Every structure is written in structure tokens, then in C-alpha cells.
Amino acid sequence: MWSPNARDVGGLPTRYGVPTRARALLRSECIDAVGLPAFEEVGAGLVLDLRSDWELRQPHPLAGDLVYQRIPWIDPAAEATRDPAAEPRLVDVYRNSLTRNAAHVGRIFTAIAEAPADQPVVVHCKAGKDRTGLTVALLLDLVGVPRSDIAADYAISETNLGLQDAPAFSRSHPDTILGSLSYVDERFGGVRGYLAWLGLSETQIHRLATRLVPTDVQAIVFDFDGLLMDTETTMVESWQTEWAYHGLELDLDGFWPGHGGDVSEDRYAVLAAAVGSGFDRAESQARRLAHRDRMHAELDFRPGIRDWISSARELGLRVAIASSSPRSWVVGHLERVGAVKLFDEIVTGDEVATHKPDPAIYQLALERVGVPAIAVEDTAHGVEAAQAAGMYAVAIPNPFVTKAAVAAADLVLGSADELFLTDLLLSAAPRGSSRPTRSGTPR
């Protein structure tokens, strides 16, 4: 490296099962003319200088270069209100600095988010220890680098700069950065909440995360029944009500087919056999469907789904549906809630010869979206179909499917609102990769 405290933060473990990307984010003390030739080999897309005006003894070696930006961490106006006596420890300075200098800190993270994604970002201050240390620690925490590893990276500065015997305010003790991250948890609910409080958009926060953990996912494909809308519950309740009309109780054991498609005729045949000779098929169907339609009048997307779709749109992803139901059924529900235009593609069961768990419908959906995609399903046969098409499959089981039944999915959630879509995208890996599956990370 070009200076004693310069280092790449690539290669650290993350919550997603892959290490932070090398040559994506580098930290350093101030770059000088002596180290400039070695530094220029990095090919940085952004060099972010966090020093204040009073620290500038001479022009930066990159002053005037398009890759160089200086955004002081310290806000002079806010600094004038600081009470040093109220900050007896370095961790107190750090904690208060995160809020006191919010206007400048927001600009710092915005600049990193907007930097060229395919070129390294280099962050430095004077010694590369405090302001740089906080900036890097927050970015590493965003992608779930274990805090012990974040603290270890922070502490390296002390050794690199020979500060082991220096006063406490000049050292890089792990407790200082750990206490600062705990404060972010307590005050903002975590680093995502802090970045949002600073004014960063979901897209900008996603760009910060994908700088360290890249993702190739460019589309999300949803099942419809039971996943986007809980038409499974309305279907079951309509059948239960119809059985009750005849003084009978519906046994749900064996009620679910092992495939997609319409099995209504089979169900009417079972009901007819239970009722006997007085059964009127036409009246039964009219009564059941009228009851179901009354329930559908109030039916909207399942919790968290609209947020996922909105996030996907903001991130520039394509959004599609792959349902074994006929197009008239799917589009009819979408029109009822004004959601047809939310989807780039709607692929339905009347367009393919076979239904889930056969992968045909997902293969057609992938062909139409034309980019790498993940699937979101609510049943085992849907998960099997998506995985057979080579897709990363997320399962959000409907109320009549257990988590155990969809355990083969790459990720199982209880609800879409358990996980930010941006976190889901980072979790997704190509089928067949060595990345381990995991349970959802709560918001």
C-alpha cells in the first residue's frame, strides 16, 4: 500500500455468506506526494477526503482531479456548539459526532453511494483512524460484517500508526467503535435507520451495500395465489362454508393438490358424494362463489408485498408474476386493486402445457423478463418449480402451509415485511453456488 495505515476492507465475512468484495472500499490516512505513484495504481473512482479546512497544510496531491472530493466530517457550525466536558471518552465524541455532524455525514455517504460502482472508493482523513474509522465501520455493519471483525479492522490503525502507548483519545480501542455501533442501534434501530435519518434513499443505501456485496439479481418473479394475495384462505373458507351449509365439516387433510392448476371438479365430486342424491352442483357452486367473491372485495396484497414491489421499482428491477391460475383470474384481481401496471410481465397457467412443480411457467417467465431473477413462492410445488428453472427460491408460506413443508427453499420467511427487499437481493445466490441458505434477518 501507499502508506502505513492504508488497507483494503475486502475479504471480511458478511451475513450473506460471502466476503466483502476486494478493491471496492479502501481506507487510509492522508495521501501524500511520496505515496501517490503507488496510490494511482488503485484506479480509484472516488477519493473522499474527510479533513477540515484547518487541517490543510498544503494542497492535496489529487486536488483538481475529477476523482477527488473533500467533504469535511466536522460541521463547523455544529462544532461551535460542542461541549467537550460532556464527552469525557472517545466513544462519547464518536456518538455525538454521528448526530452533531449529520449534515456533512449525509453528504459523505451520498458521495460513496453515487461513486462509480466498478471502481474503488478510497476514504481518508488525517490519520485514517477516527472519521475514516466511523465511516468504514458503518459501511461494514450495513452488510453484516461481524462486529468483532469490524472492531478488529478499526484497531489495526493503532498498530499501523504506532499508538499502542498513546493517550486514550489517540488510540483505536475496539470498545470505542463497538460502543458507537451500539448507539446507532439504540438511537436509530441500526445502520439502515441511521442512513435513512441522514436522508439517504433506499436506492442509495442499496448501492452502499452492493459496493461491498454485489448482486446480479435484476428481476423478482412472484407467484400469485396465496403469495401476492391470500386467495388460498378465501378459497378454503368458501369450501368450509359450503360444507357447513350441508351440515358437514370439511376435512382439510388431502385437500391440497401436489401441483398447480384447477381441481375444483374433484372437490365438488367429494362434496357431492358426502351430501348424497340431493346435491345440486350448480346451486352449490353459485353459493360458494358468491361467498368467496364477497371476501375478495376486501382482499389486497399480503403484508410487505407492496413495499417489496415499490422497492423493486425504485431499484430498477423488473417485476413479474408466474401463476398456474388462468390470466383472467390473476388480471381480474390486479385490476380490482389497481395493480396491473406494477408488473412488467404476467405469465399464467393458460400459457403453458404443464403446471408447477414442472418448471415450464418459470422458464417462460425468465425468457420474458430477460434478466437474472429470483422467485417468491408460498408452496412446496412452487418452490420446486422455481428451483428446477435454476432460480433462487424464497418461500413465504400461506396460512395453510407450514414452514417445514417449504424447507427446501433457499430462504423461508413468515412474511415479506420481515426483510427489506434490498437485503433479500443481497441474500440471493445463483442456484448451485456454495453460499449457505439462512433464515430471515429481522428488520
Side-chain angles (χ1 to χ4, degrees):
M1 283 291 181
W2 56 90
S3 59
N5 202 27
R7 57 192 182 275
D8 190 337
V9 297
L12 297 174
T14 71
R15 72 165 64 95
Y16 306 109
V18 293
T20 52
R21 190 158 55 101
R23 295 180 63 82
L25 177 67
L26 296 92
R27 55 179 297 174
S28 175
E29 71 267 53
C30 186
I31 300 164
D32 60 24
V34 174
L36 186 59
F39 169 79
E40 288 178 333
E41 295 178 8
V42 171
L46 170 66
V47 178
L48 192 55
D49 184 350
L50 310 184
R51 293 178 300 163
S52 298
D53 293 350
W54 58 268
E55 297 176 277
L56 303 181
R57 305 302 185 200
Q58 56 188 9
H60 195 284
L62 293 171
D65 194 307
L66 292 177
V67 305
Y68 175 73
Q69 287 190 51
R70 187 171 68 87
I71 305 176
W73 176 284
I74 297 173
D75 180 347
E79 184 71 6
T81 67
R82 180 187 169 208
D83 178 9
E87 300 173 347
R89 303 169 302 165
L90 186 57
V91 67
D92 300 317
V93 177
Y94 280 19
R95 288 174 170 180
N96 291 340
S97 178
L98 288 167
T99 51
R100 180 171 55 238
N101 298 301
H104 285 216
V105 178
R107 289 173 55 205
I108 289 166
F109 283 107
T110 297
I112 298 172
E114 301 301 330
D118 58 348
Q119 293 177 277
V121 166
V122 178
V123 180
H124 80 79
C125 50
K126 182 179 180 181
K129 178 178 70 74
D130 299 308
R131 291 159 290 184
T132 299
L134 269 173
T135 303
V136 171
L138 289 166
L139 291 170
L140 296 179
D141 199 50
L142 178 63
V143 295
V145 173
R147 290 193 173 174
S148 58
D149 290 284
I150 296 175
D153 173 71
Y154 171 76
I156 291 172
S157 292
E158 184 174 296
T159 303
N160 288 350
L161 299 171
L163 300 174
Q164 296 92 325
D165 298 320
F169 263 75
S170 298
R171 299 184 62 184
S172 298
H173 195 276
D175 285 350
T176 300
I177 204 67
L178 292 174
S180 302
L181 294 175
S182 294
Y183 169 75
V184 171
D185 292 340
E186 296 159 7
R187 173 78 185 273
F188 303 99
V191 65
R192 282 183 180 272
Y194 175 63
L195 293 170
W197 179 78
L198 290 175
L200 274 74
S201 67
E202 185 172 358
T203 299
Q204 290 172 321
I205 295 171
H206 185 63
R207 287 175 182 160
L208 292 174
T210 54
R211 168 161 294 280
L212 292 170
V213 180
T215 176
D216 294 329
V217 177
Q218 299 175 49
I220 182 168
V221 183
F222 294 96
D223 175 48
F224 183 77
D225 290 294
L227 187 281
L228 277 182
M229 289 187 178
D230 188 12
T231 54
E232 301 292 356
T233 293
T234 58
M235 181 267 293
V236 169
E237 289 187 1
S238 72
W239 280 104
Q240 288 174 323
T241 300
E242 183 58 20
W243 276 68
Y245 175 85
H246 297 284
L248 302 170
E249 183 176 351
L250 173 62
D251 182 3
L252 291 179
D253 187 33
F255 189 75
W256 302 98
H259 57 82
D262 189 358
V263 293
S264 295
E265 291 306 319
D266 295 338
R267 288 171 175 158
Y268 279 117
V270 174
L271 176 58
V275 173
S277 59
F279 181 71
D280 187 314
R281 164 73 166 74
E283 286 186 3
S284 177
Q285 175 169 300
R287 188 167 46 243
R288 185 184 73 84
L289 294 184
H291 178 63
R292 186 197 65 184
D293 290 345
R294 285 192 294 273
M295 290 186 287
H296 284 169
E298 303 297 325
L299 192 65
D300 203 339
F301 289 162
R302 288 181 67 188
I305 293 294
R306 281 191 182 271
D307 287 341
W308 275 13
I309 294 172
S310 176
S311 294
R313 286 297 183 191
E314 185 177 342
L315 296 172
L317 272 64
R318 292 177 62 77
V319 184
I321 290 173
S323 170
S324 292
S325 296
R327 186 174 186 85
S328 59
W329 169 263
V330 174
V331 173
H333 278 291
L334 296 176
E335 288 177 338
R336 179 175 53 78
V337 297
V340 175
K341 292 183 179 180
L342 296 179
F343 299 92
D344 299 292
E345 300 290 343
I346 300 173
V347 184
T348 53
D350 38 17
E351 298 182 80
V352 293
T354 53
H355 296 298
K356 303 170 185 177
D358 188 278
I361 198 158
Y362 275 113
Q363 291 168 340
L364 181 57
L366 285 172
E367 179 183 329
R368 290 191 179 165
V369 298
V371 292
I374 61 174
V376 189
E377 274 283 352
D378 68 311
T379 61
H381 59 255
V383 167
E384 183 179 346
Q387 291 178 332
M391 301 173 74
Y392 182 98
V394 181
I396 306 176
N398 69 62
F400 299 94
V401 174
T402 65
K403 285 190 175 183
V406 292
D410 298 280
L411 178 65
V412 180
L413 300 171
S415 172
D417 57 12
E418 289 182 9
L419 199 67
F420 288 103
L421 179 67
T422 54
D423 217 16
L424 170 59
L425 299 177
L426 291 165
S427 301
R431 295 291 304 158
S433 78
S434 59
R435 186 183 303 187
T437 59
R438 64 182 184 91
S439 61
T441 302
R443 292 188 175 189

